[in-house]
Amino acid sequence: MTAAAAITKSAEMRDLAVDWPLELYDTLKAAGISHMSYVPDAGHSTLIRLFNEDAGMTANVLTTEEEGIAIATGAWLGGQRSVILMQSSGVGNCINMLSLPVQTRTPLLMLVTMRGEWAEFNPWQVPMGQATEASLRAIGVTVLRAETGEDLIEIVGQAAGMAFDADQQIAVLIGQRLLGKKKW
């Protein structure tokens, strides 16, 4: 049995305050996601590991977040549902490329771990952390925000439906408090 299968089997016993990445993996799989692009990020590390271990999933490591927008668009055109994982600092790299799915009404689902908020130790993360939501809204992306594991699971389930059933571009912001304090 793979690690992903073992994790999925124990879903009934999850505490979403800490096990939200495991439940999020199941939620994305249930939404038909078969493709994932990401820039490595500690906040997404469990989800990245689960998708990389899943033989039914295609995963792309990105050199910059904007590549993920083009790859997700191509995946959709090829009949696959895709999710992009990134940090709030990467949103600034995507603003111009986001015009592609917005103008073509191509479904887009992004999960954005926030930086520059609660317990942030790196002052360089603060400006983009503060500008992330407004930047996404300004380009035409619908923004939803989760602060608890329970909310995240519900929001991502709905966001996937909004994106793939209604051709919307959705970013789910995952609050830094949910991720926990970064330790370096």
Side-chain angles (χ1 to χ4, degrees):
M1 180 182 305
T2 67
I7 289 168
T8 301
K9 284 188 109 178
S10 65
E12 306 84 42
M13 303 181 309
R14 291 188 184 142
D15 173 3
L16 293 183
V18 292
D19 293 333
W20 60 267
L22 308 176
E23 189 72 21
L24 184 54
Y25 168 79
D26 288 344
T27 300
L28 291 168
K29 293 286 289 187
I33 305 288
S34 60
H35 185 273
M36 185 244 329
S37 296
Y38 65 96
V39 172
D41 169 40
H44 285 303
S45 62
T46 300
L47 194 57
I48 290 168
R49 180 180 52 79
L50 291 169
F51 277 122
N52 275 313
E53 291 175 354
D54 187 335
M57 178 65 56
T58 301
N60 292 100
V61 181
L62 307 170
T63 57
T64 180
E65 294 81 359
E66 66 190 313
E67 293 172 341
I69 307 302
I71 290 170
T73 301
W76 176 254
L77 293 173
Q80 292 185 327
R81 292 181 173 196
S82 184
V83 64
I84 304 169
L85 310 180
M86 72 178 75
Q87 211 177 68
S88 56
S89 55
V91 169
N93 297 334
C94 296
I95 295 303
N96 192 45
M97 184 58 83
L98 283 166
S99 64
L100 174 66
V102 168
Q103 292 301 312
T104 61
R105 292 190 46 90
T106 304
L108 180 67
L109 180 59
M110 299 180 291
L111 303 183
V112 181
T113 55
M114 295 301 294
R115 292 289 307 268
E117 299 181 334
W118 180 81
E120 180 61 63
F121 70 93
N122 182 349
W124 292 95
Q125 293 287 347
V126 175
M128 194 61 221
Q130 292 176 345
T132 296
E133 185 171 350
S135 297
L136 288 165
R137 288 188 192 283
I139 199 71
V141 174
T142 298
V143 179
L144 306 171
R145 186 176 177 98
E147 298 292 338
T148 67
E150 186 175 316
D151 285 346
L152 178 62
I153 302 311
E154 182 179 3
I155 288 168
V156 169
Q158 293 304 311
M162 293 167 68
F164 300 113
D165 297 336
D167 299 332
Q168 294 185 51
Q169 302 74 46
I170 311 291
V172 178
L173 307 184
I174 303 171
Q176 193 167 358
R177 192 164 190 166
L178 175 59
L179 300 170
K181 184 176 181 176
K182 295 266 185 183
K183 298 174 187 160
W184 298 99

